[in-house]
Structures are given as C-alpha cells and as structure tokens.
Amino acid sequence: MERISTTNLLPDTFYGTRDDITEQFSIMWGQIKAPLIVPILRISVFLCLAMSVMLFIERVYMFVVITLVKLFGKKPEKRYKWEPLKDDVELGNSSYPMVLVQIPMYNEKEVYQLSIGAACGLSWPSDRIIVQVLDDSTDPITKNLVEIECQRWASKGINIKYEVRDNRSGYKAGALKEGLKHSYVKQCDYVAIFDADFQPEPDFLWRTIPFLVHNPELSLVQARWKYVNADECLMTRMQEMSLDYHFSVEQEVGSCTYAFFGFNGTAGVWRIAAIDEAGGWKDRTTVEDMDLAVRASLKGWKFLFLGSVKVKNELPSTLKAYRYQQHRWSCGPANLFRKMCMEIIRNKKVSLLKKLHVIYSFFFVRKVVAHIVTFVFYVVVLPATVLVPEVEVPKWGAVYIPAIITLLNAVGTPRSLHLLVFWILFENVMSLHRTKATFIGLLEAGRVNEWIVTEKLGDAMKLKSAAKAFRKHRTRLGDRIHLLELAAGAYLFFCGCYDIAFGNNHYFLYLFIQAFAFFIVGFSQVGTFVPTS
C-alpha cells in the first residue's frame, strides 16, 4: 500500500479557499475603512484629545493650588476659629456638646471588635457621648457576636446602643437614617461616622469637634484615611497612590479654596442640623455620602478637610473586593450626576461659580471624563490607530499630556514613585470596570443600584493568613478567569503584533506591556499575588 502523504490530507482546494477568504476580507476591510472606520476613528481621537485636555487642565490647576497652599497657605486653625474646649466649673460636663458616634456594619465578623473598641475608646466626657452600632447583619452568628461585644462595653460604663432593623432597605443610607430617628439622638448636636474597619485615635473628637462648635457655618469636618495594610501587596500600594492623591490634593484643594469637596462616607463629623436641613440621608444612589454632601453644599453649608487627623482603615486586598468597590465608587457618582445636574443648575443659594465647579470640575471631569478617557483613549482608540495608519494621534496627546497627568497624580505618594509604571498599568486595567460602571450610572442600567459590602479581613497578621487561605482554596476556573480583561489583553496584543509587522506608530512596546497587565489580572483572583515586602 502506498503511504498517504500529508499533502493528500490538505488538498489544493483548501489553500485556494483560504487565500480567497483572506483576499475577500482584505477587500471588504478596504471598502469600509475609508468611508466608515477612518471618520469614526478620527472623531474618537478628537473627543479623546478634548477630554485629555480637560483632565490636564484640571490636574495642573490642582497642582498649582496645592503648591501655593503648601508654600503660603494657612493651617485650618488659622482659617477657622479654633480653640480647645475647656471645663466649665458651673456647668460641668454639660458645657460639652453631645456627640453621637455611628458605626454601620453588615456581617463584619473580622473587624467588628476593632471598630467598636476604637469608638468606645474615644476620649470624651462619658455622659456626653453615645456610641450607636447599626447592625444590618444577616448572619446570625455575626449578629450575636456584635451584640455580645456591645453588651461587654456597656458593662464597662460605655453608653452604647445596639440597633438592628427588620430589613436592609436603603443599605447604609437606610441604616444611618433609621439611626437618627431614635429618641436619644434628639439631644445630640453632632454625629461622627465610622465604617466597620475604621479605627479613630482617642483624641479624634477633641481635634474635630471644636471646629464645628466655634464655626456655625461649618457642617462637616472630614479626616484623612490611613491604611493599615498599604504594604501588604502591590495592589494595595496602587490603591494607596490613587487615594492619597484624592485626599492630599483633591480634598485639600476643595477645602482650602472654600469650594465643594465630597464626604467620604466615614471618618467625618457632621452637624446634625445640617443633615436635617439638607433633607437627611437618601438611598437613591450607592453614594449616599456624596449625595448628602452635595445637598448640604447647595444649602450654603461649608466643609473642612483635616489632613492632619488620620483614621486607620483597611484597603481591599483581593481583586474581587476591589472591583466591587470600584464599581460602586464609579457608578454611584455618575448616577448622582444624572439625578442632580438640573437641581444644581436651578439652585439659587450658591453662586454661579460654585455651581460650575460642582457640575464641571467635581462631577464631569473627575467622575466621568477621568474614567472614560483612560480606557477609551489608551486601551481602545490609541491601539486602533495602529490598524488604521490614516489616523494619527499628535505626540502631545499620546505622550506629553499623559506623562504630565501621571506625574501630577503621583505627587500624593512620593514613597511609591518607583512603582509609577505598575500604577499606570494597574489604573488602565481598572479603567475597564470604572468606564463600564460610569456608563451604567449615566444610563441607569442593570447594576446601577448594586451594593456589595467590601470584604474586610482585620489586622495585618490576620490579613496575611486569610490571603494565604484564599489563594489555597479559591481555585475554581470560573473564579480565576475574567473574560473582559482577557479580551482587552488579546486586542492589545493583536495591535502590538500588527504594529511590528505593518505599522509605523512604534506603540508595540506599550501595547505588549499593557496586554500583559490585562492578562495577569484576567487570570488572577487574589490581589496579593505580588508582595512588596
């Protein structure tokens, strides 16, 4: 029998058909590229460059203002009246304002002791403070543990109230709103709010309350966050860089220029009268803190950011938890912008300049443009110009502006400047989810009101052991593959290969590195895959 050759298995007709398909595809691509693809891509490049310029101007403005503040600015104690509260012989402790401390929590089995203990350890006259634990836990074991912990502190003489609801209506906003309805709250002047993983220092109230007491126009004193697990892994270091810019630049500039800045939902003290005047807590979006801050600002109330007061808390240490958090933080502001834009425009109590600042600078540029341009320009449009050489991106838009914006963003965390490249790649990957969440918020689509509590793991030692256990047990394929990241990585990798073979844009190195970052995240579920210690 004659030996069958491999050429007999693949007849000439197959190769001819393959060549015909390739040729037909090339002809079709050539026919639609000039009249359709090129114009669309040119418009996309123009819009992306316009958004980049907006973001560039915003970042430069922030940098100039924060530089002037650091060089010549007055400290909060000089800008506002401040003096320590003193004992009154005749009035006794009644001379101190009554303070409510709220701790909303939901199945916080790992951190409930830390937050309750820190709140009960606040240094303030014991008969002038009420600690209110708002427990929405659905896990009976956790709920029982939290109640026992409250009873333990009550036995030590702490005025602590354990409050539960029949349902989770309104999530955190609903819990805070219900908490203020209790009769004993009527005697309180101020409310300090701490999420379940936040641990204020004992002198927190002594450093914040005097500002509210001596300055009746102030409604909020916001403290800065300090991260107990920032050095746990590369992902937490990246989060630290982003959040440090938010606090050390955005919040500081908003406070020093007496412009608007948002409440961060925790580590702040509110004047209860301001909450009531603004309409109380609302659950129409997943950013009830920002919602309240905007409404209070429209009533003419002022806010103060105290960067010198830091409250310890925990960063998400798993990619899953971080993605859920970023969805909420990106979707909520966009949805709130949609709901409040006309309300802000029609408001007559604040100046036109302040309304312009809130609508354009705070919402549009920072909460919409910043997310969209990062993904659409650097991950979609710029790589697409490799496939369509007829469309060019000017060097100032592709290189200079992004480089300056990146450097200005990194000033908040000087200790992590050597991680700048990793931060850029990480932010570009996360921009995929932020952009998707932003459009969901603007369009009020499917997951617009999704609220998933960010997973907390407790102190540093517990965090490490839990992360190891997480890596060991979460091995299911569905938990470790993220198709959106893999698709984006494949697209970037294809564009990089095309640039080497046929292109002249010389973006291939950027495309390959960014594709690699998307692939890493696409196959990773745990955030602690790159330790920094």
Side-chain angles (χ1 to χ4, degrees), residues 102-106 132 134 136 165 167-182 191 193 195 263 265-266 275 279-293 295 328 336 449 451 453:
Q102 288 186 317
I103 310 175
M105 57 176 58
Y106 172 73
Q132 186 185 64
L134 305 170
D136 276 358
R165 299 188 295 163
N167 56 71
R168 290 190 67 211
S169 175
Y171 302 111
K172 180 179 175 181
L176 294 171
K177 185 176 182 179
E178 287 297 317
L180 292 177
K181 290 181 178 180
H182 295 281
V191 54
I193 302 171
D195 281 351
F263 173 46
T266 178
I275 296 178
W281 295 100
K282 294 186 178 181
D283 59 0
R284 54 182 173 175
T285 69
T286 57
V287 283
E288 73 296 323
D289 45 9
M290 188 181 295
D291 189 347
L292 176 61
R295 287 184 281 113
R328 189 172 76 247
L336 183 63
N449 290 318
W451 181 286
V453 176

Side-chain angles (χ1 to χ4, degrees), residues 392-433:
E392 295 184 359
V393 178
K395 186 173 289 186
W396 60 265
V399 179
Y400 300 143
I401 282 184
I404 295 174
I405 291 175
T406 300
L407 290 174
L408 294 179
N409 279 340
V411 298
T413 315
R415 80 184 187 98
S416 297
L417 283 176
H418 63 291
L419 300 174
L420 195 58
V421 173
F422 295 102
W423 180 76
I424 294 171
L425 297 174
F426 181 71
E427 285 294 294
N428 284 356
V429 173
M430 293 311 302
S431 69
L432 166 64
H433 298 283

Side-chain angles (χ1 to χ4, degrees), residues 51-201:
M51 289 190 289
S52 294
V53 171
M54 292 179 191
L55 190 59
F56 172 75
I57 294 174
E58 176 74 8
R59 292 294 187 264
V60 171
Y61 162 75
M62 290 282 188
F63 177 74
V64 171
V65 173
I66 198 64
T67 301
L68 294 175
V69 168
K70 296 297 183 183
L71 293 176
F72 310 108
K74 297 180 180 179
K75 294 183 178 181
E77 293 80 1
K78 300 294 184 181
R79 289 186 286 116
Y80 291 95
K81 182 180 179 182
W82 189 93
E83 59 184 43
L85 301 179
K86 299 178 181 179
D87 294 333
D88 189 300
V89 178
E90 296 182 359
L91 297 177
N93 287 343
S94 61
S95 62
Y96 294 95
M98 196 74 178
V99 179
L100 176 70
V101 179
Q102 288 186 317
I103 310 175
M105 57 176 58
Y106 172 73
N107 293 337
E108 308 286 2
K109 187 176 181 179
E110 304 294 342
V111 294
Y112 73 94
Q113 287 181 310
L114 296 175
S115 57
I116 294 176
C120 293
L122 288 170
S123 174
W124 196 255
S126 59
D127 59 338
R128 306 300 293 172
I129 183 173
I130 303 174
V131 177
Q132 186 185 64
V133 178
L134 305 170
D135 190 12
D136 276 358
S137 298
T138 53
D139 176 25
I141 296 177
T142 302
K143 181 173 287 190
N144 184 54
L145 290 173
V146 174
E147 185 175 10
I148 292 174
E149 182 69 10
C150 292
Q151 292 173 353
R152 187 173 73 85
W153 282 102
S155 66
K156 295 181 179 182
I158 301 296
N159 189 0
I160 185 170
K161 307 291 184 180
Y162 176 71
E163 306 291 355
V164 296
R165 299 188 295 163
D166 295 332
N167 56 71
R168 290 190 67 211
S169 175
Y171 302 111
K172 180 179 175 181
L176 294 171
K177 185 176 182 179
E178 287 297 317
L180 292 177
K181 290 181 178 180
H182 295 281
S183 57
Y184 56 82
V185 176
K186 295 179 180 179
Q187 57 185 312
C188 298
D189 304 295
Y190 310 107
V191 54
I193 302 171
F194 301 102
D195 281 351
D197 59 315
F198 278 71
Q199 305 165 53
E201 296 295 331

Side-chain angles (χ1 to χ4, degrees), residues 244-271:
D244 275 352
Y245 177 83
H246 168 69
F247 283 107
S248 63
V249 179
E250 290 181 343
Q251 299 288 75
E252 191 71 62
V253 168
S255 180
C256 292
T257 58
Y258 302 97
F260 172 78
F261 69 87
F263 173 46
N264 294 114
T266 178
V269 186
W270 274 92
R271 189 186 302 273

